[in-house]
Coordinates of all heavy atoms in Angstrom, one line a residue:
M1 N 101.7 100.9 101.4 CA 101.3 102.0 100.7 C 100.1 101.8 99.9 O 100.1 100.8 99.1 CB 102.4 102.5 99.8 CG 103.6 103.1 100.4 SD 103.2 104.6 101.3 CE 104.2 104.3 102.8
T2 N 99.1 102.6 100.1 CA 97.9 102.4 99.3 C 97.9 103.2 98.0 O 97.0 103.1 97.2 CB 96.6 102.7 100.1 OG1 96.6 104.0 100.5 CG2 96.5 101.7 101.3
S3 N 98.9 104.1 97.9 CA 98.9 104.9 96.7 C 99.4 104.1 95.5 O 99.9 103.0 95.6 CB 99.8 106.1 96.9 OG 101.1 105.7 97.3
A4 N 99.4 104.7 94.3 CA 99.8 104.0 93.1 C 101.3 103.8 93.0 O 101.8 102.9 92.4 CB 99.3 104.7 91.9
K5 N 102.1 104.6 93.7 CA 103.5 104.5 93.7 C 104.1 104.6 95.1 O 103.4 105.0 96.0 CB 104.2 105.6 92.8 CG 103.9 107.0 93.4 CD 104.6 108.1 92.5 CE 104.4 109.4 93.1 NZ 105.3 110.4 92.6
R6 N 105.3 104.1 95.3 CA 105.9 104.1 96.6 C 106.1 105.5 97.1 O 106.4 106.4 96.3 CB 107.2 103.4 96.5 CG 107.0 101.9 96.3 CD 108.4 101.2 96.4 NE 108.2 99.7 96.1 CZ 109.0 98.8 96.6 NH1 110.0 99.1 97.3 NH2 108.7 97.5 96.3
A7 N 106.0 105.7 98.4 CA 106.2 107.0 99.0 C 107.7 107.4 98.9 O 108.6 106.5 99.2 CB 105.7 107.0 100.4
T8 N 108.0 108.6 98.6 CA 109.4 109.1 98.6 C 110.0 109.0 100.0 O 111.2 108.7 100.1 CB 109.6 110.5 98.1 OG1 108.7 111.4 98.8 CG2 109.2 110.6 96.6
G9 N 109.2 109.1 101.0 CA 109.7 109.1 102.4 C 109.9 107.6 102.9 O 110.6 107.4 104.0
A10 N 109.4 106.6 102.2 CA 109.5 105.2 102.6 C 109.6 104.4 101.4 O 108.7 103.5 101.2 CB 108.4 104.9 103.5
P11 N 110.6 104.5 100.6 CA 110.7 103.8 99.3 C 110.8 102.3 99.5 O 110.6 101.5 98.5 CB 111.9 104.4 98.6 CG 112.8 104.9 99.7 CD 111.8 105.4 100.8
E12 N 111.2 101.8 100.7 CA 111.3 100.4 100.9 C 110.0 99.7 101.2 O 109.9 98.5 101.1 CB 112.3 100.1 102.1 CG 111.7 100.5 103.4 CD 111.7 102.0 103.8 OE1 112.1 102.8 103.0 OE2 111.2 102.3 104.9
V13 N 108.9 100.5 101.4 CA 107.6 99.9 101.7 C 106.9 99.7 100.3 O 106.6 100.7 99.6 CB 106.8 100.8 102.6 CG1 105.4 100.3 102.8 CG2 107.5 101.1 103.9
P14 N 106.5 98.5 100.0 CA 105.8 98.2 98.7 C 104.4 98.7 98.8 O 103.8 98.9 99.8 CB 105.9 96.7 98.6 CG 106.0 96.2 100.0 CD 106.7 97.2 100.8
T15 N 103.9 99.0 97.6 CA 102.5 99.4 97.5 C 101.6 98.1 97.6 O 102.1 97.0 97.5 CB 102.2 100.0 96.1 OG1 102.3 99.1 95.1 CG2 103.1 101.2 95.9
I16 N 100.3 98.3 97.9 CA 99.4 97.2 98.0 C 99.4 96.4 96.6 O 99.4 95.2 96.6 CB 98.0 97.7 98.3 CG1 97.9 98.3 99.7 CG2 96.9 96.6 98.1 CD1 98.1 97.3 100.9
A17 N 99.4 97.2 95.6 CA 99.4 96.6 94.2 C 100.6 95.7 94.0 O 100.5 94.6 93.5 CB 99.3 97.6 93.1
E18 N 101.8 96.1 94.5 CA 103.0 95.3 94.4 C 102.9 94.1 95.3 O 103.3 93.0 94.9 CB 104.2 96.1 94.8 CG 104.6 97.2 93.8 CD 105.7 98.1 94.3 OE1 105.7 98.4 95.5 OE2 106.5 98.5 93.5
L19 N 102.5 94.3 96.5 CA 102.5 93.3 97.5 C 101.6 92.2 97.2 O 101.9 91.0 97.4 CB 102.2 93.9 98.9 CG 102.4 93.0 100.1 CD1 103.9 92.6 100.3 CD2 102.0 93.8 101.4
Y20 N 100.4 92.5 96.8 CA 99.3 91.5 96.6 C 99.1 91.3 95.1 O 98.1 90.6 94.8 CB 98.1 91.9 97.3 CG 98.3 91.9 98.8 CD1 98.3 93.1 99.5 CD2 98.4 90.7 99.5 CE1 98.5 93.1 100.9 CE2 98.6 90.7 100.9 CZ 98.7 91.9 101.6 OH 98.9 91.9 102.9
R21 N 99.8 91.9 94.3 CA 99.7 91.8 92.8 C 98.3 92.1 92.4 O 97.7 91.4 91.6 CB 100.1 90.4 92.4 CG 101.5 90.0 92.7 CD 102.1 88.9 91.9 NE 103.3 88.3 92.3 CZ 104.4 88.9 92.6 NH1 104.5 90.2 92.6 NH2 105.5 88.3 93.0
I22 N 97.8 93.2 92.9 CA 96.4 93.7 92.5 C 96.6 94.9 91.6 O 97.0 96.0 92.1 CB 95.6 94.1 93.8 CG1 95.5 93.0 94.7 CG2 94.3 94.7 93.3 CD1 94.9 93.4 96.1
Q23 N 96.5 94.7 90.3 CA 96.7 95.7 89.4 C 95.6 96.8 89.4 O 94.5 96.5 89.6 CB 96.8 95.2 88.0 CG 98.0 94.3 87.8 CD 99.3 94.9 88.2 OE1 99.6 96.0 87.7 NE2 100.1 94.2 89.0
G24 N 96.1 98.1 89.4 CA 95.2 99.2 89.4 C 94.6 99.6 90.7 O 93.8 100.6 90.8
F25 N 95.1 99.0 91.8 CA 94.6 99.4 93.1 C 95.3 100.7 93.5 O 96.5 100.9 93.4 CB 94.9 98.3 94.2 CG 94.5 98.7 95.6 CD1 93.2 98.4 96.0 CD2 95.3 99.5 96.4 CE1 92.7 98.8 97.2 CE2 94.8 99.9 97.7 CZ 93.5 99.5 98.1
E26 N 94.5 101.6 94.0 CA 95.0 102.9 94.5 C 94.0 103.5 95.4 O 92.8 103.6 95.1 CB 95.3 103.9 93.3 CG 95.8 105.2 93.8 CD 96.1 106.2 92.7 OE1 96.0 105.8 91.5 OE2 96.6 107.3 93.0
A27 N 94.4 103.9 96.5 CA 93.6 104.7 97.5 C 94.5 105.8 98.1 O 95.5 105.4 98.7 CB 93.0 103.8 98.5
S28 N 94.1 107.0 97.9 CA 94.9 108.1 98.5 C 94.1 109.2 98.9 O 92.9 109.3 98.5 CB 96.0 108.5 97.5 OG 95.4 109.0 96.3
T29 N 94.6 110.1 99.6 CA 94.0 111.3 100.1 C 94.6 112.5 99.4 O 95.8 112.5 99.2 CB 94.1 111.5 101.6 OG1 93.6 110.4 102.2 CG2 93.4 112.8 102.1
W30 N 93.8 113.5 99.0 CA 94.4 114.6 98.3 C 93.6 115.8 98.8 O 92.5 115.7 99.3 CB 94.4 114.6 96.8 CG 93.0 114.3 96.2 CD1 92.5 113.1 95.9 CD2 92.0 115.2 95.9 NE1 91.2 113.2 95.4 CE2 90.9 114.5 95.4 CE3 92.0 116.6 95.9 CZ2 89.8 115.2 94.9 CZ3 90.8 117.3 95.5 CH2 89.7 116.5 95.0
Y31 N 94.2 117.0 98.7 CA 93.6 118.3 99.1 C 93.7 119.2 97.9 O 94.7 119.2 97.2 CB 94.2 118.9 100.3 CG 94.2 118.0 101.5 CD1 95.2 117.1 101.8 CD2 93.1 118.0 102.3 CE1 95.2 116.3 102.9 CE2 93.0 117.2 103.4 CZ 94.1 116.4 103.7 OH 94.0 115.5 104.8
G32 N 92.7 120.0 97.7 CA 92.7 121.0 96.7 C 92.0 122.3 97.1 O 91.3 122.3 98.2
L33 N 92.3 123.4 96.4 CA 91.7 124.6 96.8 C 90.7 125.0 95.6 O 91.1 125.0 94.5 CB 92.8 125.7 96.9 CG 92.3 127.1 97.2 CD1 91.7 127.1 98.6 CD2 93.5 128.1 97.2
L34 N 89.5 125.3 96.0 CA 88.5 125.7 95.1 C 88.0 127.1 95.3 O 88.0 127.5 96.5 CB 87.3 124.7 95.1 CG 87.6 123.3 94.8 CD1 86.4 122.4 95.2 CD2 88.0 123.1 93.4
A35 N 87.5 127.8 94.3 CA 87.0 129.1 94.5 C 85.6 129.1 93.9 O 85.3 128.3 93.0 CB 87.8 130.2 93.7
P36 N 84.7 130.0 94.3 CA 83.4 130.1 93.8 C 83.3 130.3 92.3 O 84.2 131.0 91.8 CB 82.7 131.2 94.5 CG 83.5 131.4 95.7 CD 84.9 131.0 95.4
A37 N 82.4 129.8 91.6 CA 82.2 130.1 90.2 C 82.1 131.6 90.0 O 81.5 132.3 90.8 CB 80.9 129.4 89.7
G38 N 82.7 132.1 88.9 CA 82.7 133.5 88.7 C 83.8 134.3 89.3 O 83.8 135.5 89.2
T39 N 84.7 133.6 90.1 CA 85.8 134.4 90.7 C 86.6 134.9 89.5 O 86.9 134.2 88.6 CB 86.7 133.4 91.5 OG1 85.8 132.9 92.6 CG2 87.9 134.1 92.1
P40 N 87.0 136.2 89.6 CA 87.8 136.8 88.5 C 89.1 136.0 88.2 O 89.7 135.5 89.2 CB 88.1 138.2 89.0 CG 87.0 138.5 90.0 CD 86.7 137.2 90.7
A41 N 89.4 135.9 87.0 CA 90.6 135.1 86.5 C 91.9 135.6 87.2 O 92.7 134.8 87.5 CB 90.7 135.2 85.0
A42 N 92.0 136.9 87.4 CA 93.2 137.5 88.1 C 93.3 137.0 89.5 O 94.4 136.7 90.0 CB 93.1 139.0 88.0
V43 N 92.2 136.9 90.2 CA 92.2 136.4 91.6 C 92.6 134.9 91.6 O 93.4 134.4 92.4 CB 90.8 136.6 92.2 CG1 90.8 135.9 93.6 CG2 90.5 138.1 92.4
V44 N 92.0 134.1 90.7 CA 92.4 132.7 90.6 C 93.9 132.5 90.3 O 94.5 131.7 90.9 CB 91.5 132.0 89.5 CG1 92.0 130.6 89.2 CG2 90.0 132.0 89.9
A45 N 94.4 133.3 89.3 CA 95.8 133.3 89.0 C 96.7 133.6 90.2 O 97.7 132.9 90.4 CB 96.1 134.2 87.8
K46 N 96.3 134.6 90.9 CA 97.1 135.0 92.1 C 97.1 133.9 93.2 O 98.1 133.5 93.7 CB 96.6 136.3 92.7 CG 97.3 136.8 93.9 CD 98.7 137.2 93.6 CE 99.3 137.8 94.9 NZ 100.8 138.0 94.8
L47 N 95.9 133.3 93.4 CA 95.8 132.2 94.4 C 96.6 131.1 94.0 O 97.4 130.5 94.8 CB 94.3 131.8 94.6 CG 93.4 132.7 95.4 CD1 92.0 132.3 95.3 CD2 93.9 132.7 96.9
N48 N 96.5 130.7 92.7 CA 97.3 129.6 92.2 C 98.8 129.8 92.3 O 99.5 128.9 92.7 CB 96.9 129.3 90.7 CG 97.6 128.1 90.1 OD1 98.4 128.3 89.3 ND2 97.2 126.9 90.6
S49 N 99.2 131.0 92.0 CA 100.6 131.3 92.1 C 101.1 131.2 93.5 O 102.2 130.6 93.8 CB 100.9 132.8 91.6 OG 102.2 133.1 91.8
E50 N 100.4 131.7 94.5 CA 100.8 131.6 95.9 C 100.7 130.2 96.4 O 101.6 129.7 97.1 CB 99.9 132.5 96.7 CG 100.1 134.0 96.4 CD 101.6 134.5 96.6 OE1 102.2 134.1 97.6 OE2 102.1 135.2 95.7
V51 N 99.7 129.4 96.0 CA 99.6 128.1 96.5 C 100.7 127.2 95.9 O 101.3 126.3 96.6 CB 98.2 127.5 96.1 CG1 98.2 126.0 96.3 CG2 97.1 128.1 97.0
N52 N 101.1 127.4 94.7 CA 102.2 126.7 94.1 C 103.6 127.1 94.6 O 104.5 126.3 94.5 CB 102.2 126.9 92.6 CG 101.2 126.0 91.9 OD1 101.1 124.8 92.2 ND2 100.5 126.5 90.9
R53 N 103.7 128.2 95.3 CA 104.9 128.6 95.9 C 105.2 127.9 97.2 O 106.3 127.7 97.6 CB 105.0 130.2 96.1 CG 105.3 131.0 94.9 CD 105.4 132.4 95.2 NE 105.8 132.7 96.6 CZ 105.8 133.9 97.2 NH1 105.5 134.9 96.5 NH2 106.1 134.0 98.5
A54 N 104.1 127.6 97.9 CA 104.3 127.1 99.3 C 105.2 125.8 99.3 O 106.0 125.7 100.2 CB 102.9 126.8 99.9
P55 N 105.0 124.8 98.4 CA 105.8 123.6 98.5 C 107.3 123.8 98.3 O 108.1 123.0 98.6 CB 105.2 122.7 97.4 CG 103.9 123.2 97.2 CD 103.9 124.7 97.4
A56 N 107.7 125.0 97.8 CA 109.1 125.3 97.6 C 109.8 125.6 98.9 O 111.0 125.5 99.0 CB 109.2 126.5 96.6
A57 N 109.0 126.0 99.9 CA 109.6 126.3 101.2 C 110.1 125.0 101.9 O 109.3 124.0 102.0 CB 108.6 127.0 102.1
P58 N 111.3 125.0 102.3 CA 111.9 123.7 102.9 C 111.0 123.2 104.1 O 110.8 122.0 104.2 CB 113.3 124.2 103.4 CG 113.6 125.3 102.5 CD 112.3 126.0 102.2
E59 N 110.5 124.1 104.9 CA 109.7 123.7 106.1 C 108.4 123.0 105.7 O 107.9 122.0 106.3 CB 109.5 124.8 107.1 CG 108.7 126.0 106.6 CD 109.5 127.0 105.9 OE1 110.7 126.8 105.5 OE2 108.9 128.1 105.6
V60 N 107.8 123.4 104.6 CA 106.6 122.8 104.1 C 106.9 121.5 103.5 O 106.2 120.5 103.8 CB 105.9 123.7 103.0 CG1 104.8 123.0 102.3 CG2 105.5 125.0 103.6
R61 N 108.0 121.4 102.7 CA 108.4 120.1 102.1 C 108.7 119.1 103.2 O 108.3 117.9 103.2 CB 109.6 120.2 101.3 CG 109.3 120.8 99.9 CD 110.4 120.4 98.9 NE 110.1 120.7 97.6 CZ 109.2 120.1 96.8 NH1 108.5 119.2 97.3 NH2 109.0 120.4 95.6
Q62 N 109.4 119.5 104.3 CA 109.8 118.6 105.4 C 108.6 118.1 106.1 O 108.5 117.0 106.5 CB 110.8 119.3 106.3 CG 112.1 119.5 105.7 CD 113.0 120.5 106.6 OE1 112.5 121.0 107.6 NE2 114.2 120.7 106.1
R63 N 107.7 119.0 106.4 CA 106.4 118.7 107.1 C 105.6 117.7 106.3 O 105.1 116.7 106.9 CB 105.6 119.9 107.4 CG 104.3 119.7 108.2 CD 104.6 119.3 109.6 NE 103.4 119.0 110.3 CZ 102.8 119.8 111.1 NH1 103.3 121.0 111.4 NH2 101.7 119.5 111.8
L64 N 105.4 117.9 105.1 CA 104.7 117.0 104.2 C 105.3 115.6 104.2 O 104.7 114.6 104.3 CB 104.5 117.6 102.8 CG 103.5 118.7 102.7 CD1 103.6 119.3 101.3 CD2 102.1 118.3 102.9
A65 N 106.7 115.6 104.0 CA 107.4 114.4 103.9 C 107.3 113.6 105.2 O 107.1 112.4 105.2 CB 108.8 114.6 103.5
A66 N 107.4 114.3 106.3 CA 107.3 113.6 107.6 C 105.9 112.9 107.8 O 105.8 111.9 108.5 CB 107.5 114.6 108.7
E67 N 104.9 113.4 107.1 CA 103.6 112.8 107.2 C 103.3 111.9 106.0 O 102.1 111.5 105.8 CB 102.5 113.9 107.4 CG 102.7 114.7 108.7 CD 101.7 115.8 108.9 OE1 100.8 115.9 108.1 OE2 101.9 116.6 109.8
G68 N 104.3 111.7 105.2 CA 104.1 110.8 104.0 C 103.4 111.5 102.8 O 102.9 110.9 101.9
G69 N 103.4 112.8 102.9 CA 102.7 113.6 101.8 C 103.7 114.1 100.8 O 104.9 114.1 101.0
E70 N 103.1 114.6 99.7 CA 103.9 115.2 98.6 C 103.0 116.2 97.9 O 101.9 116.0 97.6 CB 104.2 114.1 97.6 CG 105.0 114.5 96.4 CD 105.2 113.4 95.4 OE1 104.7 112.3 95.6 OE2 105.9 113.6 94.5
A71 N 103.6 117.4 97.8 CA 102.8 118.5 97.1 C 103.1 118.4 95.6 O 104.2 118.3 95.2 CB 103.3 119.9 97.6
L72 N 102.0 118.5 94.9 CA 102.1 118.4 93.4 C 102.0 119.7 92.7 O 102.7 120.0 91.8 CB 101.0 117.4 92.9 CG 101.2 116.0 93.4 CD1 100.0 115.1 92.9 CD2 102.5 115.4 93.1
G73 N 101.1 120.6 93.2 CA 100.9 121.9 92.5 C 100.3 121.7 91.1 O 99.9 120.6 90.8
G74 N 100.3 122.8 90.4 CA 99.8 122.7 89.0 C 98.9 123.9 88.7 O 98.8 124.8 89.5
S75 N 98.3 123.8 87.6 CA 97.4 124.9 87.1 C 96.0 124.7 87.5 O 95.6 123.5 87.7 CB 97.6 125.1 85.6 OG 97.0 124.0 85.0
P76 N 95.1 125.7 87.4 CA 93.7 125.5 87.6 C 93.1 124.5 86.6 O 92.3 123.7 86.9 CB 93.1 126.9 87.4 CG 94.2 127.8 87.8 CD 95.5 127.1 87.3
E77 N 93.6 124.6 85.3 CA 93.1 123.7 84.3 C 93.5 122.2 84.6 O 92.7 121.3 84.4 CB 93.7 124.1 82.9 CG 93.3 125.5 82.5 CD 94.0 126.6 83.1 OE1 95.1 126.5 83.7 OE2 93.4 127.8 83.1
Q78 N 94.7 122.0 85.1 CA 95.1 120.6 85.5 C 94.2 120.1 86.6 O 93.8 119.0 86.6 CB 96.6 120.6 85.9 CG 97.5 120.8 84.7 CD 99.0 121.0 85.2 OE1 99.2 121.8 86.2 NE2 99.9 120.4 84.6
F79 N 93.9 120.9 87.6 CA 93.1 120.5 88.7 C 91.7 120.2 88.2 O 91.1 119.3 88.6 CB 93.1 121.6 89.8 CG 92.5 121.1 91.1 CD1 92.8 119.9 91.6 CD2 91.6 121.9 91.8 CE1 92.2 119.4 92.8 CE2 91.0 121.5 92.9 CZ 91.3 120.2 93.5
A80 N 91.2 121.1 87.4 CA 89.8 120.9 86.8 C 89.8 119.5 86.1 O 88.8 118.8 86.2 CB 89.4 122.0 85.9
S81 N 90.8 119.2 85.3 CA 90.9 117.9 84.6 C 90.9 116.8 85.6 O 90.3 115.7 85.4 CB 92.1 117.9 83.7 OG 92.2 116.7 83.1
F82 N 91.7 116.9 86.7 CA 91.8 115.9 87.7 C 90.4 115.6 88.3 O 90.0 114.5 88.5 CB 92.8 116.3 88.8 CG 92.8 115.4 90.0 CD1 93.4 114.1 89.9 CD2 92.2 115.8 91.1 CE1 93.4 113.3 91.0 CE2 92.2 114.9 92.2 CZ 92.8 113.7 92.2
L83 N 89.7 116.7 88.6 CA 88.4 116.6 89.3 C 87.4 115.9 88.3 O 86.6 115.1 88.7 CB 87.8 118.0 89.7 CG 88.6 118.6 90.8 CD1 88.0 120.0 91.1 CD2 88.5 117.8 92.1

């Protein structure tokens, strides 16, 4: 695992940091949804609400887990801080 923590779908597989004792190593892929500057706040709120609902669907969770993924969700402000 190249992520900072072990995958929920394969908890027995150590991370690179654990295996080679390399502190702070992390390499992962993430996806996010962006809207053009000036998009009305109501539209951003609606998009955010719908995007955060998707991971609650069992089929979405199963598909992500099967591919080693995990949906985090969050607010536009949290995503902006991450970026």
